[in-house]
Amino acid sequence: MSAPRCPVCSWPAPPTAPACAVCDWQLLSGLVLGPVTPERRAAFERRLAAAQRTADRRAAALAASAEGRFDPVVARRLERLLRSGPGAPQASPWPQIDAVPGAGQARPDSAEGMPDALRDLADSRLAGLVFVQLDAEGAAAVTVDVGPAGLPRLAGPERRQPWHRLLVALPADADECRFLLAGGTGTLGGEPDRLVEAAADLAATLAAPPWRPDGHGLVVVARTAGLPAVDAAVAAARRAGGTVASLVAVADRRPLPEIVADAVRRAPLRYDIGLRGVTVDRDSGVVRPAARTLFHRDMPADDDGARTVTVNVAAHRSAAKQLALPVCVGEPGRPEWTVLRIGRIAVTPGASSQVRVRLDPSGAVGFEAPAGADDEERTWAQLAAAVPPRVPLPQRIDVACLVELGGTARAHADRVARVGAVLDLLAARDDVAPGVRVAVVGYGDHDYGRIHRVDGPFPVQPLGAPAAAVAALSTGLWGAAGERYGAAAPVEDAVARLSTLDWSAPRKVALVFGRRPPHPHTHDRNADLYGCTDQFVWADEVAGARAAGIRFAAAVERRQWREDLADAPAALRRWAEHAWSLLGDGDHLTDPDASSAAELLAAAGLADAAPGRPLPLALVGSHEGTEQPGGDR
């Protein structure tokens, strides 16, 4: 047999209790003299009907105020559930509901347990958080995990279940369900104590899968207050195993995902976030991958949940004019890096630029400065592949280019173009690693047909900046000089003029660009070859230059001069082969039709003189050849 219940609120009432502990209805009275007359019974029924109506209206008002303020629209909808009887007031003011706990607290900044829960999430002690909201409509859940940036993120949409699916005793009608949760019975009847017990038992369901997956912490979000059944469910859920924090957001009208995003916006980072770049060895120029931390995992967020840092980005002298800035997650020295965003800025090689990077609460990375910062189009794999193994270091190198000016206009133009390509490489190298000087010595022909000889031309551009040599080569002094004698050219005179240059660098190189071999010391009748009018001895001039530390390499147009000498005496052909061989072995004699300017420099021992590929990444460690203003902020 069930225990007696209060006729007003339907809560259990012990038979000996003088009044209901819930609604204070008088259950027992003293002795009344005389019989229970119809008048007395009618008066009692009027008092009971009035008390029931008042209790129902209070429950309805409570249900209409569950979100922190009274909603008359909801209250009017609930009027159909109120009990009526003889003497029950049909129209009276709604009872005043005292301020419910949490009302007016629009944002859960002081939520209990949230800082510790977010730290456990950052430290990987929790795989995620499940925010379970309990309100007058039912239960809703939003799951938070850790995104690529190491910050909490919403994982999937909001999940929701109405109360009648959580507790089978509740009706599907939303108004009736809300009225019962508020402790009302009205025309629905019911046992509010059993509803409260069932709601409290719901905590075990909310704290287990599928509501709370394994490894996740439960955060209870109270969106209503004053509804006995909902309050019981909230209190029980807060005590359940796996619960790590609770929020009160009774007066907050925002959707649950927005409340959750606000609650985790200042969460600590799980990982360091850094800038990937390179270091350059001061002594060897070897390039190695490196990283610097931008956002340390313990770096606090701003009031809006963002983190901002200003750093100095240094560009090596051999850097590209557009630097890529890959912002990645990870720890320096560890291989597992996740690229968040790759920015791109314009830089001056050899200088530094200030870059301001912002990390939003969502984990998005933005570049706020310098102006014009953009997204890099290449992937990280493409950037890594574009990094050269080494960069040229500053060193003093003197290079002299000996250029034959004879031949057809087409042959001369091709030859000068080859010289120009070498000079362009040396000029580019000097930009990234200063110390290169270049001279150009031209040679035309000896004059064998006149009493008063007019040899030449022999223009000379002294050792100086590569750019000056490039400019000089375009002047008329270096134009095509025709060809007076097809068998040989005064290469020996050009080599002799090397001694007039102001050599000072520890590395000295002479590059010969020509077709015809040099003249012998005297006329060779067997070869039908005229001797040098200045009586320079080719072998002696080459040996003297080598003794002065000059290394030779030549771009000899062998195919052409072999064709030219096909019908010449064998002695002439032997002389040509012998003369050119004095400049070095085959490695130092390149075929200009099949060799690039870089290959010619390599043949001369200047493989490191070419500028190489520009560095696409910033310097992030100790380095050579950069200017670095003050530190980071």
Side-chain angles (χ1 to χ4, degrees), residues 19-319:
C20 176
V22 176
C23 68
D24 203 32
W25 171 258
Q26 185 177 3
L27 299 172
L28 298 176
S29 66
L31 295 176
V32 177
L33 296 177
V36 179
T37 63
E39 291 77 11
R40 285 183 172 179
R41 182 175 296 278
F44 171 78
E45 290 176 353
R46 286 194 297 271
R47 291 197 307 273
L48 177 60
Q52 290 173 336
R53 181 80 175 184
T54 299
D56 289 349
R57 286 177 66 80
R58 178 171 178 78
L62 195 60
S65 305
E67 281 81 18
R69 61 181 180 181
F70 180 74
D71 188 341
V73 176
V74 174
R76 284 193 295 272
R77 290 205 310 264
L78 297 176
E79 281 187 329
R80 64 184 175 84
L81 303 176
L82 307 185
R83 288 172 287 186
S84 62
Q90 298 303 309
S92 60
W94 287 99
Q96 181 68 38
I97 302 299
D98 295 335
V100 296
Q105 183 179 334
R107 296 181 181 274
D109 291 339
S110 59
E112 181 180 352
M114 277 307 300
D116 291 339
L118 294 175
R119 172 50 68 186
D120 288 344
L121 185 63
D123 291 343
S124 301
R125 288 190 288 269
L126 290 174
L129 296 172
V130 179
F131 289 75
V132 174
Q133 166 184 290
L134 293 166
D135 58 20
E137 307 298 331
V142 168
T143 300
V144 168
D145 65 6
V146 176
L151 284 168
R153 65 172 180 182
L154 301 186
E158 175 184 345
R159 297 167 288 148
R160 176 172 282 278
Q161 286 280 9
W163 276 112
H164 74 275
R165 294 189 180 276
L166 296 169
L167 301 176
V168 294
L170 289 172
D173 183 89
D175 289 337
E176 294 177 3
C177 185
R178 179 185 284 255
F179 182 67
L180 292 175
L181 291 171
T185 54
T187 59
L188 300 174
E191 299 176 338
D193 59 312
R194 296 187 184 278
L195 179 59
V196 169
E197 291 175 2
D201 292 341
L202 181 63
T205 300
L206 299 178
W211 286 91
R212 183 182 71 87
D214 291 338
H216 287 57
L218 180 66
V219 180
V220 181
V221 184
R223 299 298 297 273
T224 61
L227 305 185
V230 180
D231 290 349
V234 169
R238 286 172 174 168
R239 297 190 301 268
T243 300
V244 295
S246 63
L247 305 179
V248 176
V250 173
D252 196 330
R253 300 295 178 181
R254 295 175 298 164
L256 177 60
E258 291 186 20
I259 292 176
V260 172
D262 189 52
V264 302
R265 64 187 171 87
R266 300 190 67 185
L269 294 168
R270 175 172 284 187
Y271 317 107
D272 287 346
I273 295 178
L275 174 67
R276 297 214 70 176
V278 296
T279 59
V280 174
D281 186 80
R282 293 177 181 272
D283 299 323
S284 65
V286 171
V287 179
R288 297 183 178 89
R292 66 178 299 174
T293 300
L294 295 176
F295 304 101
H296 192 274
R297 64 188 305 265
D298 291 326
M299 179 181 180
D302 301 334
D303 290 340
D304 62 355
R307 294 167 172 84
T308 305
V309 64
T310 300
V311 296
N312 290 313
V313 172
H316 193 269
R317 287 193 181 94
S318 62

